[in-house]
Amino acid sequence: MKSEGNFSLKAALASARERLVILLKDDNLNTLHGRKKIGHILAYYKFPLFILCIFLYFIGYNIYGRLTHKDVVLYTALVNVVAGEDLTWQLREGFMAYTGTDMSKNELKLYTDLYLTDDELNAYHEYTYASRMKILASIEGKQMDIVLMNREAFDAFSQNGYLHDLDSFLLERDSDLYQALKPALVNNVVILEDNADDMALDDSLSYSAVTEEHAFGLNLSGTAYVGQAGFGNTVYLGIVANTPREDMVVAYLRYLAGTGDKSAAQDSVALQTLAARPHRAYSQMPQ
């Protein structure tokens, strides 16, 4: 089937090329003017011109993609958290400036408008299914590294086993950072096994599960950016268990916690970029 498709495409391109050659050599065009010439071209050469337009479109699209492409250094998601423009800048461009990353060639991908709730009266409940699908696809594709979330989302991520145990993760990679963040680490449970499927078949069964408890979250209330953003509820940070960008994740934690070392040049870049921005309202979280 694939070879037949390639043959058809090659045949179409060859036919279009032949017709374009004929068009260039068509003596009738020299005797026609205005609308008659346009009508003659459309009547006899519509297909090759159509193929040519498609060909030029794909060439232009490919060139544009290459010129505007940026490498993603980190994927961060806001789940059940709505950030204002100040906090959005701090979570994205602020971190890039902090690390001295070239923003013309790199970017931090920030997922927004993700909501997980079982409360049918919650205004965001209608977005839960689509959000869940996007989250699962992002995790499966290793395109989600950091999650900032409220308690309900934190419970969901933790119970489903999506998060790193921060005790072991930080202790192995940066013991000083671990000691600095240890008071803010928050325990939660991961469900290793349960009888949810059996309950769906037998209403008489009571729910039971085998769980483990670990430090899957970091309370960001005491941090400079999130802590001062005016949230009414606690915002938790979790690290997705299959992240391949561990070094950038650790750097992001240092940045949010205010424990990282920066050069004077990086400080200057961050301050100049921040000073050039207009002040925006504080962030808000959906209730």
Side-chain angles (χ1 to χ4, degrees):
M1 293 297 291
K2 185 176 180 181
S3 60
E4 292 180 3
N6 290 338
F7 177 78
S8 299
L9 178 59
K10 290 180 179 179
L13 290 174
S15 176
R17 183 168 59 251
E18 291 175 2
R19 287 178 175 270
L20 286 173
V21 171
I22 295 173
L23 171 62
L24 295 175
K25 297 180 178 180
D26 193 343
D27 295 333
N28 291 327
L29 292 178
N30 297 325
T31 61
L32 299 175
H33 302 281
R35 292 184 178 179
K36 290 184 177 181
K37 178 180 286 189
I38 295 174
H40 179 78
I41 293 174
L42 292 178
Y44 292 96
Y45 306 104
K46 184 186 298 182
F47 176 70
L49 289 175
F50 175 71
I51 296 296
L52 177 62
C53 289
I54 293 178
F55 181 68
L56 292 176
Y57 168 79
F58 279 110
I59 289 178
Y61 183 82
N62 186 53
I63 293 174
Y64 176 80
R66 290 178 179 274
L67 292 176
T68 60
H69 172 75
K70 292 184 179 182
D71 294 325
V72 179
V73 298
L74 192 70
Y75 293 89
T76 301
L78 305 181
V79 183
N80 291 359
V81 172
V82 179
E85 291 189 38
D86 271 346
L87 183 57
T88 297
W89 184 90
Q90 290 161 346
L91 295 175
R92 191 169 52 202
E93 288 85 359
F95 173 68
M96 302 282 283
Y98 171 89
T99 56
T101 303
D102 185 351
M103 284 185 266
S104 67
K105 299 179 180 179
N106 303 277
E107 66 176 330
L108 184 151
K109 179 68 175 179
L110 184 66
Y111 297 118
T112 59
D113 300 323
L114 296 175
Y115 304 100
L116 296 178
T117 178
D118 293 327
D119 182 3
E120 296 183 359
L121 299 179
N122 190 300
Y124 296 91
H125 182 266
E126 62 181 299
Y127 306 109
T128 293
Y129 178 78
S131 296
R132 184 178 291 115
M133 293 299 100
K134 183 173 182 178
I135 290 169
L136 290 175
S138 299
I139 292 176
E140 180 68 21
K142 296 184 178 182
Q143 294 182 339
M144 185 176 292
D145 305 303
I146 296 281
V147 186
L148 274 62
M149 52 201 158
N150 72 347
R151 184 71 203 200
E152 184 175 11
F154 177 36
D155 289 342
F157 270 77
S158 175
Q159 290 168 12
N160 283 282
Y162 297 152
L163 302 177
H164 261 301
D165 174 6
L166 297 184
D167 276 323
S168 59
F169 180 86
L170 292 174
L171 193 58
E172 291 175 5
R173 291 161 182 82
D174 192 325
S175 59
D176 291 337
L177 180 61
Y178 171 68
Q179 293 300 326
L181 298 180
K182 189 175 181 179
L185 296 183
V186 181
N187 283 2
N188 210 325
V189 298
V190 55
I191 298 175
L192 303 178
E193 182 182 348
D194 66 10
N195 65 338
D197 292 338
D198 295 334
M199 288 182 61
L201 302 175
D202 187 348
D203 295 338
S204 65
L205 295 177
S206 298
Y207 180 75
S208 62
V210 178
T211 65
E212 286 184 359
E213 184 171 327
H214 299 283
F216 292 117
L218 175 69
N219 185 338
L220 295 176
S221 299
T223 59
Y225 304 125
V226 177
Q228 296 174 13
F231 287 115
N233 300 306
T234 302
V235 177
Y236 301 90
L237 179 148
I239 300 174
V240 177
N242 68 344
T243 174
R245 287 164 283 272
E246 295 179 352
D247 290 342
M248 291 302 293
V249 165
V250 172
Y252 201 67
L253 288 182
R254 291 197 198 101
Y255 167 71
L256 291 181
T259 62
D261 295 325
K262 298 181 294 180
S263 68
Q266 290 171 335
D267 278 328
S268 177
V269 170
L271 291 173
Q272 289 174 13
T273 309
L274 181 59
R277 298 177 58 253
H279 176 71
R280 303 293 181 182
Y282 279 131
S283 315
Q284 297 180 355
M285 183 187 295
Q287 300 296 323

